[in-house]
Amino acid sequence: MDGLEKFLGLPAKIPRSKKKMFLYIKDKIQHKVVGWKEHLLSTSGKEVLLKAIATTIPVYTMSCFRFPKSICHAVNSALANFWWSKKNEERKLHWISWRSMCDPKSQGGLGFKEIEAFNMALLAKQG
């Protein structure tokens, strides 16, 4: 095996670089987010898609492994870019930080999951 095979969606071999090991998750989320027609969705439609699909892709892997901070940051930025964008070519201005959008709705946020905190919660649940 050359380390690229997967068993139950997880890598069969763990390479030295954790960033390379989880790069496929970042690519899968970015591919999924770019495929959606963001200019045809309302803000509530974007919210549902981000919460129901994009943040649930890495859940099984996150419950087994701790993601590197660079992967968590890349996933969060892909989700934020999708949220604030109107068209693919257009420059995106983020009016509010992603961290404040991850606050619960009772505290004025939108209730998105911050990937790094969600990863730690899933690992703590295993313990």
Side-chain angles (χ1 to χ4, degrees):
M1 289 178 32
D2 60 356
L4 299 176
E5 289 81 14
K6 297 192 184 327
F7 180 71
L8 295 176
L10 298 174
K13 281 185 160 181
I14 299 174
R16 186 176 286 278
S17 172
K18 301 288 188 236
K19 186 176 179 181
K20 288 181 183 177
M21 184 169 100
F22 298 119
L23 201 58
Y24 76 95
I25 290 181
K26 179 189 74 114
D27 294 338
K28 186 185 253 188
I29 291 173
Q30 281 182 338
H31 177 71
K32 194 69 99 165
V33 167
V34 168
W36 294 329
K37 302 291 183 193
E38 57 225 18
H39 61 279
L40 298 177
L41 294 173
S42 65
T43 55
S44 58
K46 285 183 181 183
E47 180 182 1
V48 169
L49 285 174
L50 286 177
K51 286 181 179 178
I53 297 171
T55 57
T56 58
I57 289 172
V59 169
Y60 179 67
T61 309
M62 285 193 306
S63 66
C64 299
F65 296 105
R66 183 174 180 193
F67 282 8
K69 289 185 180 187
S70 60
I71 297 293
C72 294
H73 178 69
V75 170
N76 280 336
S77 59
L79 298 178
N81 285 339
F82 174 74
W83 176 258
W84 290 111
S85 66
K86 297 251 186 232
K87 295 180 183 172
N88 287 337
E89 318 75 50
E90 189 175 309
R91 287 183 57 113
K92 301 160 182 90
L93 179 63
H94 296 226
W95 292 97
I96 301 173
S97 70
W98 185 252
R99 188 172 300 272
S100 63
M101 291 181 67
C102 291
D103 289 340
K105 288 187 176 185
S106 61
Q107 295 178 358
L110 288 176
F112 290 119
K113 290 182 173 116
E114 189 172 350
I115 299 298
E116 188 174 1
F118 187 49
N119 185 212
M120 294 306 294
L122 287 172
L123 291 174
K125 188 176 178 182
Q126 292 292 329

